Amino acid sequence: MAPRGALLVLALLCESPRRPAAAPGDGQRTWEHFSRLPFPGDKAFLYDTFPEGFMWSVGTAAYQVEGASDKDGKGPSIWDTFTRGGNRIAMGDVGSDSYHNVHGDIRALRQLGVSHYRFSLSWPRIFPNGSRGSCNELGVAHYRSLIRLLKEVGVEPVVTLYHWDLPEQLQRLVGGWRSPLLVGLFQDFADFCFRTFGDGVKYWITIDNPFVVAWHGYGTGMMAPGVKNEPDLPYAVGHNLLKAHAAVWHLYDRRYRPLQGGKVSIALGSHWIKPSKTRRENLRACQCSLDFVLGWFARPLFVDGEYPSCMRGRLSARLPSFDAAEKAYINGTADFFALSHGPSLSFQLRNESLKFGQTEEVDLRMLLYWIKAEYDNPPVFVVESGWFVSGSSRTEDPKHMYYLKWFIVEMLKSIKYDKVRVIGYTAWSLVDGFEWHREYGIRRGLFYVDFATPDMKREPKTSAIFYGKLIEKNGFPPLLENKHADGVFPCDFAWGVAANSIEVETTPSQFADPNVYSWNVAGNGELKRLEGVVAPPAHRVRHCADYAAIRHQVEQIRRVRVSHFHFSLNWSSVAPTGNVSEANATLLDYYRCFASELLKANIAPVVTLWHYTGKRSSLPAPLEAKRGWWCNDTVRAFAEYARLCYRQLGAHVKLWITLNEPNAKELSYEVGHNLLRAHGLAWHVYDKEFREAQGGKVSLTLYMDWVEPAYSFTLRDMVSASRVLDFRVGWFAEPVFGSGDYPSGMRKWLRQRNSMDLFNYHLPVFSREDEQLVRGSYDFFALSHFTTSMVSEAVEDKYIYEAMLEVHYMFDITWVMSSYRRSPVVPWGLRKALSWVSSRYPGVPIYVMANGVDEDPARFQDSLRVYYLHSYINEALKAYLLDGVNLRGYFAYALSDQRDPNFGMYGHVHDEFIVKSSLMHYRNIIEHNGFPEPSAPPQPCPRRSEPCLGCEVLARHSVVGFLSLVGSALLITVGLIVYFAAKRQE
């Protein structure tokens, strides 16, 4: 039976017909190609599976993991010497002791379920002094045993002949890879390995990352053997490495391929780079940067046996050259493209000189596309890929796990979208080990190794469990919960748009100009002001329509087709002294006019009494001077302010928000307690004094971004996420919607933190009176939701670690990110937030009072916001239809960039408002009341009547109405007389 992956490779190698061969430099189109891809659709996560027979692998390198540096006849390597010199601290003498722990590694491989295992042969363990005459049978027996055990558990070996551990004897006697003698010596070593192990090996890697060997081993001195200060030496070393690889490939092709049927390549590593400016010369610089790292070795092998033109042009005589026979000998000596993509040195240049002024970044997908374009789409086997965590971490490594997820899904997009012929993927590495120049400062293993224990115990990390599950499913198969939902919301669903504030114009602009103008009717129609002529003052009643700002804003809102508009009042402007007896009557009149004009347009106003922005207090100055919300006077003053607003505006407002997002800021628990009391007082004022007459509803809006456990299979992360939600949302929700007290988990956690009086995290206690005041003070649950974050107990970055809650915040790197705030776009987070509220407080009516994303205000084709609104509203529909959430309304945030920069559905340029794509898309969703099935009949909802802007005037003023009726009748009569008179003359 053919080994797993063989059929896939054979099919890819034998594909026909082939397109015309790529030309050197074709990779330069990569940046332009990706700049044209649709955003954010191309960045969205791809749920799909890999081709059948895809090779899932994991890898190690001998010096990193084997240990036993001087056991069983092994000779010293250049790394044994290198780590004992200079200022280096640790050595790889023991590593993770895989030499004595083969069975432990085999168990780990079986647990992962990989089809292939990449490992390297230690040249000095087989040939201690580098030559065949020193052959060490114990070393040979070790690798024979390893290959046999792999075969027994169904894992195919991928064997690297040289992974940087050159026998020290060869470095000392001939200068290592600077000497052409190494070509023959390496060929002899390979010949022995092919003959000895080849029957059990179908994939061979001759040399791992020759760029690192040449550039850092014989250039920067960062790696063994540590040679530096010879600027031309790296190019001579690279020349010898290419010749050595070609000699080994030809040896296998001529002598062993007919019998063993294997494939041979060389592992080439590369960074990725993007242009610092969108100019042609920057693209050329990026191309040159890749040519100096990857093209240095790939072009001779995959194109024409010649070095890249950029290298030849810049280096001239410093770069060795191949004669015609050598070019032909080297070209084509790779059966597949083996790509090494790891963080230690592969895609970190560690050197500015090779960036040519451009910006280095991590992007596996673009690198794969560049390889396809530059080298005529060869089959690609990713033979190293992964990330790292700190050396102090243990089995919790969510950061490594999510980088693995990102690399793998980007590789999947390469296959599905870009048609790159990727045949396999190798996660690095199997176990923790010695990490070259970073020693034990980082860990890259999928399995944790306790270096302090004699047996080097292996434990699977979260990344290992993730990788095993992914292999089991062969990718990311589509899940039912990720499928787009078809359906509609109830007929009375509240569709709204929100703004933090409205434009206030306290002086009417209509009929306010006393000047007299002449109208040039015969000419250009312009009005010309008559100098010195002023009309007498007009004695007319002021109307709400006289405010141009109100007319413009209401018209903007009306064009969205929403049924509700949410905005906030300014307490410090309404009652500047804090005393409602000294309220600003003019401003209240303006707010009243704004609300009434909204109603005329069939738009229900939703009004927030107090919105803390964080930039300034927004409290009346005298109250702020008395310590603001720390003081009970502010609580009582807020209740009086609420009473004033209910009295003045309540005839027009049926949905009230007392406090908007009081839990969004880092407030003390004492301040939070007073805010809850203020809300309770304001709610009871309405309930007792205004509800019967006005028939409105009152609640508060809580800020509720979702918090997801970084690793959902880990109980500790699930507990951490629950703890954060208690402190963020439950802090205000539980006293109002639940028990009347703070969450029990919150109190328990703070009691633990306060032990020995080291901290002062004391939650206030609700008196019986306060509990009765706060508990049940709601008519609905209102929340603002924008994004999702993840939490873990594993501490990776102290800057995003919250010590009080003992959680580390992070995000999934595969998530789409907004452009300005780098805020993750995670639609399913809204559904989970809604379900959390519904499960905690069953049956409560829920309104999403603000939901939106930031985007470059210059992008009027705001595709990210279109994607955001569509996806989040669809998740809200799932919560309503599938989860039984009593969702009553949704408000998009925000109306305009002018009032809410970067969030608006209206752009604003030079006093001109521009309708963005997101507004039209949101309006379309509203008009369909969701996402009805294409074949579904129209929803039987009563149609909303179009606003009649003059009807209210006619209804209020009967004389005007009568005269209008008489005038209309007179006009119709005259029209009929004229018509019939004309007919009679005919």
Side-chain angles (χ1 to χ4, degrees):
M1 180 178 177
R4 181 180 176 184
L7 295 177
L8 173 65
V9 178
L10 182 63
L12 290 173
L13 290 173
C14 299
E15 267 188 358
S16 64
R18 294 289 301 277
R19 68 175 183 83
D26 280 1
Q28 190 170 314
R29 68 174 184 256
T30 301
W31 293 274
E32 185 179 358
H33 169 79
F34 278 88
S35 70
R36 294 196 305 265
L37 294 180
F39 177 81
D42 185 66
K43 295 293 184 183
F45 194 84
L46 173 61
Y47 288 95
D48 207 336
T49 55
F50 285 84
E52 186 178 354
F54 191 81
M55 296 183 289
W56 293 107
S57 180
V58 67
T60 58
Y63 185 76
Q64 292 185 282
V65 301
E66 278 188 358
S69 63
D70 57 355
K71 301 292 178 61
D72 292 345
K74 177 185 174 295
S77 75
I78 55 174
W79 273 96
D80 292 315
T81 304
F82 183 68
T83 54
R84 285 165 169 76
N87 58 1
R88 282 163 290 279
I89 300 171
M91 296 171 287
D93 290 7
V94 178
S96 47
D97 202 23
S98 286
Y99 185 80
H100 297 112
N101 223 327
V102 172
H103 290 283
D105 289 349
I106 294 295
R107 282 194 298 271
L109 291 167
R110 292 186 66 182
Q111 188 168 344
L112 288 175
V114 293
S115 60
H116 291 70
Y117 174 47
R118 182 189 170 200
F119 64 93
S120 71
L121 305 175
S122 172
W123 190 347
R125 190 177 299 282
I126 296 174
F127 292 174
N129 69 8
S131 65
R132 189 185 293 253
S134 62
C135 181
N136 174 26
E137 287 300 331
L138 290 177
V140 173
H142 167 74
Y143 294 116
R144 276 203 179 107
S145 174
L146 174 58
I147 292 170
R148 177 179 53 78
L149 290 171
L150 289 172
K151 291 287 190 176
E152 287 177 0
V153 296
V155 175
E156 287 293 323
V158 179
V159 178
T160 303
L161 293 170
Y162 179 71
H163 203 132
W164 309 350
D165 53 346
L166 186 72
E168 172 62 22
Q169 187 87 339
L170 297 182
Q171 180 66 34
R172 190 169 65 250
L173 294 179
V174 300
W177 285 106
R178 73 164 69 220
S179 172
L181 294 174
L182 259 288
V183 175
L185 289 167
F186 183 59
Q187 184 183 31
D188 190 51
F189 171 63
D191 181 55
F192 177 86
C193 295
F194 291 153
R195 178 179 293 119
T196 305
F197 311 117
D199 289 340
V201 179
K202 300 306 176 187
Y203 288 92
W204 291 95
I205 303 295
T206 57
I207 300 166
D208 183 83
N209 208 336
F211 170 79
V212 170
V213 177
W215 191 260
H216 292 300
Y218 294 85
T220 67
M222 183 182 298
M223 305 284 277
V227 179
K228 52 187 174 181
N229 300 323
E230 296 184 52
D232 295 344
L233 181 58
Y235 307 113
V237 168
H239 206 65
N240 290 333
L241 289 166
L242 277 167
K243 288 182 175 181
H245 160 76
V248 170
W249 185 90
H250 281 288
L251 168 70
Y252 189 86
D253 189 58
R254 182 180 66 255
R255 187 177 299 174
Y256 296 100
R257 193 190 304 274
L259 298 174
Q260 298 176 357
K263 292 177 172 56
V264 180
S265 190
I266 180 172
L268 303 181
S270 184
H271 62 308
W272 183 249
I273 199 151
K274 67 177 182 179
S276 56
K277 296 179 181 178
T278 55
R279 296 176 180 172
R280 185 61 58 184
E281 56 265 32
N282 295 93
L283 292 178
R284 286 194 292 266
C286 288
Q287 180 78 7
C288 194
S289 176
L290 291 173
D291 275 343
F292 260 82
V293 178
L294 182 55
W296 180 2
F297 300 94
R299 166 133 180 208
L301 297 173
F302 290 93
V303 181
D304 57 8
E306 183 60 274
Y307 290 120
S309 57
C310 175
M311 291 187 74
R312 299 197 306 271
R314 288 176 180 260
L315 297 173
S316 189
R318 297 175 57 196
L319 185 67
S321 61
F322 297 111
D323 60 32
E326 289 174 327
K327 290 178 185 178
Y329 187 71
I330 290 172
N331 185 29
T333 57
D335 299 324
F336 55 93
F337 197 111
L339 177 64
S340 175
H341 187 256
S344 291
L345 283 163
S346 294
F347 58 63
Q348 289 182 342
L349 288 178
R350 320 288 298 185
N351 190 309
E352 292 295 322
S353 66
L354 295 182
K355 298 178 186 178
F356 302 117
Q358 309 312 305
T359 306
E360 190 178 10
E361 67 176 11
V362 180
D363 199 312
L364 177 57
R365 181 182 172 191
M366 291 184 74
L367 178 59
L368 288 168
Y369 187 91
W370 188 88
I371 291 169
K372 171 191 174 183
E374 189 76 10
Y375 304 118
D376 199 20
N377 200 14
V380 180
F381 189 174
V382 179
V383 294
E384 178 186 350
S385 178
W387 202 248
F388 62 92
V389 292
S390 69
S392 60
S393 65
R394 296 181 67 85
T395 58
E396 302 289 327
D397 64 339
K399 183 178 179 181
H400 185 191
M401 178 183 73
Y402 283 108
Y403 266 94
L404 267 180
K405 179 183 177 184
W406 181 42
F407 292 144
I408 293 170
V409 78
E410 289 299 290
M411 183 176 59
L412 181 60
K413 289 179 182 179
S414 292
I415 296 170
K416 300 294 184 177
Y417 296 162
D418 308 329
K419 308 306 178 185
V420 179
R421 301 195 297 161
V422 185
I423 60 175
Y425 178 85
T426 306
W428 202 273
S429 64
L430 176 64
V431 293
D432 293 329
F434 178 81
E435 290 299 334
W436 309 115
H437 67 292
R438 302 179 78 165
E439 300 175 346
Y440 295 100
I442 63 171
R443 291 176 180 265
R444 295 189 62 195
L446 298 177
F447 282 76
Y448 169 77
V449 176
D450 188 345
F451 298 116
T453 57
D455 59 349
M456 298 283 181
K457 183 181 178 183
R458 280 104 162 101
E459 294 182 63
K461 299 182 186 179
T462 51
S463 57
I465 300 172
F466 162 78
Y467 192 48
K469 289 291 182 184
L470 182 138
I471 293 170
E472 180 184 317
K473 298 177 182 296
N474 199 34
F476 309 96
L479 302 175
L480 184 61
E481 57 262 34
N482 297 322
K483 186 181 178 183
H484 183 275
D486 291 327
V488 293
F489 291 94
C491 290
D492 61 348
F493 193 74
W495 290 104
V497 63
N500 283 340
S501 61
I502 60 172
E503 182 183 354
V504 174
E505 177 192 48
T506 55
T507 303
S509 54
Q510 186 85 339
F511 304 110
D513 187 355
N515 294 299
V516 177
Y517 298 82
S518 66
W519 185 10
N520 185 3
V521 178
N524 57 13
E526 289 185 351
L527 293 175
K528 184 177 181 181
R529 186 166 64 88
L530 300 179
E531 297 292 339
V533 181
V534 179
H539 299 288
R540 62 184 293 277
V541 177
R542 181 179 296 177
H543 298 289
C544 290
D546 294 345
Y547 294 97
I550 291 180
R551 293 199 311 275
H552 294 159
Q553 290 177 93
V554 171
E555 176 58 20
Q556 285 180 351
I557 300 163
R558 189 190 65 79
R559 290 182 67 181
V560 189
R561 298 289 195 269
V562 292
S563 59
H564 291 69
F565 177 63
H566 177 207
F567 66 98
S568 300
L569 307 181
N570 190 323
W571 184 7
S572 62
S573 297
V574 171
T577 66
N579 188 340
V580 295
S581 64
E582 300 171 330
N584 185 335
T586 302
L587 181 58
L588 282 169
D589 284 343
Y590 183 86
Y591 282 137
R592 189 184 305 111
C593 275
F594 188 84
S596 67
E597 292 299 303
L598 284 173
L599 287 173
K600 290 177 187 177
N602 283 344
I603 300 167
V606 181
V607 176
T608 288
L609 296 174
W610 186 72
H611 187 149
Y612 178 53
T613 63
K615 298 177 182 177
R616 56 186 181 277
S617 167
S618 73
L619 287 176
L623 296 177
E624 185 63 40
K626 294 181 180 179
R627 300 185 68 217
W629 286 110
W630 287 86
C631 180
N632 281 325
D633 289 348
T634 303
V635 176
R636 290 189 290 269
F638 181 74
E640 291 302 317
Y641 162 63
R643 180 179 282 110
L644 171 70
C645 295
Y646 298 151
R647 184 183 301 117
Q648 295 293 326
L649 308 177
H652 306 291
V653 179
K654 304 307 174 188
L655 283 176
W656 291 94
I657 301 295
T658 56
L659 309 172
N660 191 77
E661 301 175 4
N663 61 323
K665 309 301 175 186
E666 293 182 359
L667 301 173
S668 70
Y669 296 126
E670 290 80 1
V671 167
H673 199 74
N674 280 342
L675 284 166
L676 282 166
R677 293 175 59 241
H679 159 75
L681 283 172
W683 187 88
H684 282 284
V685 165
Y686 191 87
D687 190 56
K688 293 175 182 177
E689 301 176 25
F690 299 96
R691 188 186 301 276
E692 185 175 353
Q694 297 179 0
K697 296 178 180 179
V698 183
S699 194
L700 79 170
T701 297
L702 299 181
Y703 185 88
M704 191 181 180
D705 282 348
W706 182 245
V707 181
E708 183 77 0
Y711 192 67
S712 57
F713 293 100
T714 300
L715 179 61
R716 289 193 299 271
D717 281 3
M718 295 177 69
V719 170
S720 296
S722 179
R723 181 163 65 247
V724 173
L725 286 169
D726 269 348
F727 273 80
R728 283 188 182 178
V729 185
W731 176 21
F732 276 76
E734 191 61 22
V736 174
F737 299 91
S739 64
D741 193 8
Y742 298 113
S744 58
M746 189 177 178
R747 284 201 180 278
K748 181 179 178 181
W749 182 262
L750 291 179
R751 278 197 299 269
Q752 293 174 351
R753 303 280 79 72
N754 290 331
S755 61
M756 300 176 63
D757 291 327
L758 293 176
F759 300 98
N760 187 26
Y761 299 134
H762 295 286
L763 271 179
V765 176
F766 284 97
S767 66
R768 188 175 185 82
E769 178 185 357
D770 286 345
E771 181 183 337
Q772 293 174 348
L773 179 71
V774 172
R775 186 178 186 184
S777 57
Y778 70 90
D779 297 308
F780 53 90
F781 193 112
L783 62 90
S784 299
H785 175 90
F786 298 93
T787 187
T788 291
S789 61
M790 295 190 301
V791 293
S792 171
E793 281 198 338
V795 183
E796 185 63 31
D797 187 341
K798 65 180 180 180
Y799 297 107
I800 49 177
Y801 178 74
E802 187 174 350
M804 196 269 280
L805 294 181
E806 295 186 5
V807 293
H808 174 232
Y809 293 100
M810 61 182 299
F811 62 88
D812 184 338
I813 197 170
T814 66
W815 290 343
V816 174
M817 306 295 287
S818 69
S819 55
Y820 269 46
R821 298 189 178 189
R822 303 299 297 162
S823 177
V825 176
V826 192
W828 51 258
L830 175 59
R831 181 181 177 185
K832 290 197 173 188
L834 292 170
S835 296
W836 186 91
V837 173
S838 182
S839 64
R840 282 253 183 149
Y841 313 110
V844 63
I846 303 174
Y847 289 83
V848 178
M849 297 306 298
N851 180 235
V853 68
D854 63 288
E855 190 165 8
D856 184 353
R859 286 179 58 92
F860 302 134
Q861 300 293 328
D862 51 343
S863 55
L864 176 62
R865 188 170 291 112
V866 169
Y867 170 82
Y868 183 99
L869 291 173
H870 185 97
S871 302
Y872 275 75
I873 294 172
N874 197 255
E875 291 297 320
L877 180 66
K878 293 176 188 178
Y880 168 69
L881 291 177
L882 305 178
D883 306 334
V885 174
N886 187 13
L887 185 62
R888 306 304 297 274
Y890 172 91
F891 289 70
Y893 178 82
L895 180 65
S896 167
D897 283 334
Q898 185 186 34
R899 310 303 298 178
D900 301 283
N902 307 328
F903 280 85
M905 292 186 287
Y906 280 101
H908 187 252
V909 179
H910 303 304
D911 295 327
E912 180 183 357
F913 288 92
I914 300 170
V915 175
K916 297 184 184 180
S917 299
S918 57
L919 187 149
M920 304 305 294
H921 188 78
Y922 184 44
R923 186 166 77 180
N924 183 63
I925 294 174
I926 293 171
E927 289 172 347
H928 290 87
N929 204 28
F931 308 91
E933 294 183 23
S935 59
Q939 189 178 12
C941 292
R943 292 180 61 85
R944 290 176 59 200
S945 60
E946 291 296 318
C948 174
L949 300 181
C951 296
E952 187 174 337
V953 175
L954 297 176
R956 278 198 212 157
H957 305 285
S958 57
V959 175
V960 175
F962 175 74
L963 292 177
S964 299
L965 179 62
V966 171
S968 299
L970 181 62
L971 286 172
I972 294 170
T973 303
V974 171
L976 290 171
I977 292 171
V978 171
Y979 173 76
F980 284 111
K983 292 286 286 184
R984 189 177 298 113
Q985 289 178 359
E986 292 177 3

